[in-house]
């Protein structure tokens, strides 16, 4: 029996990628103020910046695009998507948005108010920023193992139920709802167990609080449940997904991940508590309720994507990709967050660059070094993204300094991963040459997207 787990697709349409010289990359990175977000994508050889909106659509999705109904109101494409989402989530109400953060902004504007506190395992950066923009405190209560890069635990995305209960006892009147990110992106792409989800939902219910799920990577989470959680081995992905959604009262979704599309998102709600206000805000800022922030063709592609992402051979290959990359890096002496998550591998930058201090922003520095070494673009998940600088200049650092290599869906082949692993392992062998960075310019919210740097 062959053991190689192949890409479960063949390629119909290709895009060239281009190698640059190191001297070119040095100049390009200087021009980008040492911020990989500011590079031109054409100057990147292998782009692991994000798995968001970067996937390849299937022939079936491209076919569905031709069937998009572009009617302003009541488009057939809306009802097609609505039926798929109702079947998967059990939530009757669909509010399509142009991407995840639009869903977040609309829901949080409606459901939160200044002084509120919203717990989650870990809020993603846009989720946190949108809560904070509504005056809400975004509280991360992941289990302690979720913050320990090398502690092996099957569900490192679980939320710490004791700390949630303490919060509800102490400040319950300030909690409008609880959230949970599946999989937990910022914490390493780590899954949440069904048991944790069920218990969190029950705990919130005891205090009369609804649960809003951030479900960008719901299918990857479901596959982890199938592989790792007792009692789910023989269940279909669809039935696992349905059970996951059954514990929530609503969700925000960035369809750019497990929706398998390049743009899109939605809110889905179990009841009407936030529905009318959310729809009104949607009309004000996104569009009419049956298309929201999207074209009819986008709704069609998403309806197909949400079906395709449930295929088990796809999910098996998907999770294996991250695991394979993780194995190669570990063999080269690179420390990563373990076990590997669903959509990405997270390199422990403090361990990679032990000579750097917090004020050197080791993960940011490593992301730059990977580009210089081999044209690979990853993203810092560390103190630039999650730290902040107070008005008096005091800097707050994040406990973890990670570089995320996130894998676009159905885009790169095994040899791309082999190449990337070689580049990273080679850099590891001369890591002491990598310098730290200093921030020279930054904005108040989501500073990582636009900040400028110099070498220390
Ligand atoms: N929630 C999670 C868990 C996410 O990972 C993202 C996006 C969002 C919400 C926001 O969705 O981008 O469609 O507005 N994550 C991307 C990433 C950007 O690279 O991980 P969006």
């Amino acid at each position: 029996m062959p053991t190689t787990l192949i890409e479960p697709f063949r390629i119909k349409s290709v895009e060239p990628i281009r190698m640059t010289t190191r001297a070119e990359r040095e100049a390009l990175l200087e021009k980008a103020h040492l911020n990989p977000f500011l590079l031109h994508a054409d100057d990147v050889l292998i782009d692991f910046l994000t798995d968001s909106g970067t996937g390849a659509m299937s022939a079936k999705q491209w076919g569905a695009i031709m069937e998009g109904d572009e009617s302003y109101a009541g488009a057939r494409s809306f009802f097609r998507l609505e039926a798929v989402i109702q079947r998967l989530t059990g939530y009757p109400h669909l509010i399509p948005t142009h991407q995840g953060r639009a869903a977040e902004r609309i829901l949080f504007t409606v459901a939160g108010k200044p002084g509120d506190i919203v717990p989650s395992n870990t809020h993603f950066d846009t989720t946190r920023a949108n809560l904070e923009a509504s005056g809400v405190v975004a509280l991360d209560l992941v289990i302690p193992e979720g913050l320990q890069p090398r502690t092996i635990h099957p569900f490192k995305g679980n939320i710490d139920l004791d700390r949630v209960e303490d919060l509800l006892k102490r400040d319950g009147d300030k909690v409008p709802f609880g959230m949970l990110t599946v999989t937990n992106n910022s914490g390493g792409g780590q899954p949440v167990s069904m048991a944790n989800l069920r218990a969190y939902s029950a705990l919130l219910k005891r205090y009369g609080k609804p649960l809003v799920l951030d479900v960008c990577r719901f299918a990857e989470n479901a596959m982890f449940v199938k592989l790792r959680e007792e009692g789910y081995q023989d269940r279909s992905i669809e039935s696992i997904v349905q059970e996951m959604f059954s514990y929530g009262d609503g969700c925000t979704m960035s369809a750019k991940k497990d929706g398998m599309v390049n743009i899109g998102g939605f809110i889905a709600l179990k009841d009407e508590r936030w529905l009318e206000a959310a729809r009104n805000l949607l009309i004000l800022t996104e569009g009419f309720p049956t298309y929201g922030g999207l074209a009819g063709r986008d709704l069609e592609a998403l309806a197909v994507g949400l079906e395709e992402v449930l295929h088990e051979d796809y999910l098996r290959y998907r999770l294996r990709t991250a695991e394979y990359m993780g194995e190669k890096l570990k063999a080269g002496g690179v420390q990563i967050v373990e076990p590997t998550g669903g959509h990405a591998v997270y390199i422990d930058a403090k361990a990679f660059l032990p000579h750097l201090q917090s004020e050197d922003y080791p993960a940011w520095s490593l992301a730059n070094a990977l580009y210089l070494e081999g044209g690979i673009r990853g993203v810092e998940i560390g103190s630039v993204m999650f730290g902040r600088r107070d008005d008096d200049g005091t800097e707050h650092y994040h406990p973890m300094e990670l570089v995320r290599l996130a894998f676009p869906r159905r885009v790169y082949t095994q040899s791309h991963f082999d190449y990337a692993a070689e580049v990273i392992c080679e850099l590891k062998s001369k890591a002491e040459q990598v310098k730290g960075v200093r921030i020279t310019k930054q904005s108040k919210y989501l500073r990582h997207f636009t900040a400028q740097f110099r070498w220390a």
Side-chain angles (χ1 to χ4, degrees):
M1 247 310 252
T3 53
T4 302
L5 202 79
I6 61 166
E7 290 87 4
F9 48 81
R10 55 184 181 175
I11 297 165
K12 183 172 243 171
S13 183
V14 298
E15 270 184 295
I17 51 177
R18 174 176 84 92
M19 192 56 178
T20 46
T21 63
R22 189 181 175 104
E24 283 172 327
R25 291 194 293 278
E26 277 170 6
L28 292 161
L29 198 58
E30 280 302 325
K31 209 171 134 210
H33 305 282
L34 307 189
N35 184 340
F37 278 106
L38 304 180
L39 289 167
H40 288 207
D42 276 349
D43 299 326
V44 175
L45 183 69
I46 301 212
D47 206 346
F48 290 155
L49 185 66
T50 178
D51 65 322
S52 180
T54 52
M57 290 209 294
S58 65
K60 199 167 171 190
Q61 285 177 292
W62 284 110
I65 277 193
M66 281 307 291
E67 292 178 15
D69 176 355
E70 306 301 344
S71 304
Y72 192 94
R76 182 181 63 243
S77 302
F78 172 82
F79 297 108
R80 179 168 182 204
L81 176 63
E82 186 189 52
V84 174
I85 290 174
Q86 285 174 343
R87 196 187 85 227
L88 292 184
T89 65
Y91 306 160
H93 309 295
L94 167 64
I95 298 176
T97 59
H98 79 276
Q99 61 182 82
R101 69 199 70 185
E104 293 164 0
R105 185 184 51 77
I106 289 172
L107 190 67
F108 301 161
T109 304
V110 166
K113 60 177 188 316
D116 281 353
I117 305 171
V118 172
S120 187
N121 41 3
T122 315
H123 293 279
F124 185 66
D125 59 350
T126 61
T127 321
R128 166 175 293 278
N130 272 300
L131 284 165
E132 289 175 353
S134 304
V136 177
V137 175
L139 201 59
D140 293 340
L141 297 178
V142 72
I143 54 169
E145 291 88 338
L147 295 172
Q148 299 157 2
R150 268 168 304 286
T151 302
I152 303 290
H153 183 291
F155 293 103
K156 287 174 91 169
N158 283 355
I159 193 164
D160 189 331
L161 297 168
D162 291 339
R163 289 171 72 202
V164 175
E165 182 140 32
D166 286 347
L167 170 72
L168 290 167
K169 277 188 192 145
R170 196 179 60 240
D171 273 325
D173 53 328
K174 292 188 188 152
V175 177
F177 55 90
M179 282 196 81
L180 196 65
T181 315
V182 291
T183 57
N184 191 26
N185 182 3
S186 315
Q190 299 294 331
V192 177
S193 73
M194 195 71 89
N196 187 252
L197 179 46
R198 191 184 302 123
Y200 181 43
S201 167
L203 174 60
L204 288 168
K205 202 157 280 160
R206 261 193 280 131
Y207 286 82
K209 310 293 181 189
L211 170 58
V212 174
L213 301 170
D214 175 342
V215 293
C216 302
R217 300 177 181 85
F218 70 95
E220 290 169 8
N221 200 89
M223 190 67 192
F224 277 118
V225 167
K226 183 171 171 109
L227 294 173
R228 294 186 183 165
E229 195 161 351
E230 189 67 38
Y232 289 91
Q233 277 68 41
D234 298 326
R235 291 267 298 272
S236 70
I237 296 297
E238 180 164 328
S239 83
I240 295 173
V241 164
Q242 286 165 336
E243 183 180 343
M244 282 165 50
F245 279 106
S246 75
Y247 300 122
D249 298 280
C251 66
T252 55
M253 168 85 181
S254 168
K256 300 169 74 171
K257 286 84 170 174
D258 275 353
M260 311 285 263
V261 289
N262 304 116
I263 193 73
F266 58 84
I267 302 169
L269 297 172
K270 196 180 259 178
D271 60 39
E272 298 190 3
R273 99 183 73 194
W274 298 311
L275 183 64
E276 196 181 325
R279 282 224 164 108
N280 287 337
L281 193 51
L282 182 85
I283 293 170
L284 189 67
T285 59
E286 292 274 298
F288 187 79
T290 56
Y291 70 85
L294 294 169
R297 56 178 169 267
D298 300 326
L299 303 173
E300 290 283 342
L302 176 53
V304 176
L306 288 172
E307 303 270 8
E308 286 183 353
V309 79
L310 305 175
H311 292 183
E312 233 180 275
D313 51 356
Y314 161 74
L315 286 170
R316 209 173 285 280
Y317 137 83
R318 176 75 180 156
L319 302 194
R320 175 62 191 149
T321 299
E323 189 181 54
Y324 176 81
M325 188 68 175
E327 286 167 5
K328 292 226 146 195
L329 293 180
K330 278 197 292 178
V334 177
Q335 297 191 6
I336 59 169
V337 174
E338 294 187 71
T340 45
H343 65 293
V345 168
Y346 292 66
I347 301 174
D348 183 341
K350 281 189 195 169
F352 201 103
L353 304 172
H355 58 291
L356 297 189
Q357 311 302 315
S358 296
E359 64 264 29
D360 293 316
Y361 298 102
W364 197 274
S365 161
L366 179 58
N368 277 319
L370 292 180
Y371 176 69
L372 291 178
E373 185 69 18
I376 297 166
R377 179 158 68 168
V379 69
E380 186 251 26
I381 309 266
S383 295
V384 178
M385 185 180 276
F386 286 115
R388 63 171 202 281
R389 187 175 290 175
D390 291 342
D391 291 339
D392 67 2
T394 313
E395 189 73 27
H396 298 267
Y397 298 101
H398 192 63
M400 290 211 276
E401 287 286 341
L402 306 174
V403 172
R404 182 186 75 172
L405 306 174
F407 308 137
R409 291 169 180 75
R410 307 187 288 202
V411 169
Y412 293 115
T413 64
Q414 188 168 334
S415 69
H416 292 114
F417 287 94
D418 289 341
Y419 164 84
E422 280 172 36
V423 167
I424 297 164
C425 295
E426 200 163 310
L427 181 66
K428 174 68 191 153
S429 68
K430 49 184 176 187
E432 69 288 347
Q433 295 170 16
V434 176
K435 286 189 274 190
V437 295
R438 297 285 181 270
I439 299 177
T440 56
K441 194 173 169 209
Q442 59 177 313
S443 65
K444 191 162 162 44
Y445 295 110
L446 301 174
R447 62 178 177 173
H448 51 289
F449 289 132
T450 54
Q452 300 184 0
F453 300 80
R454 64 171 171 80
W455 293 112

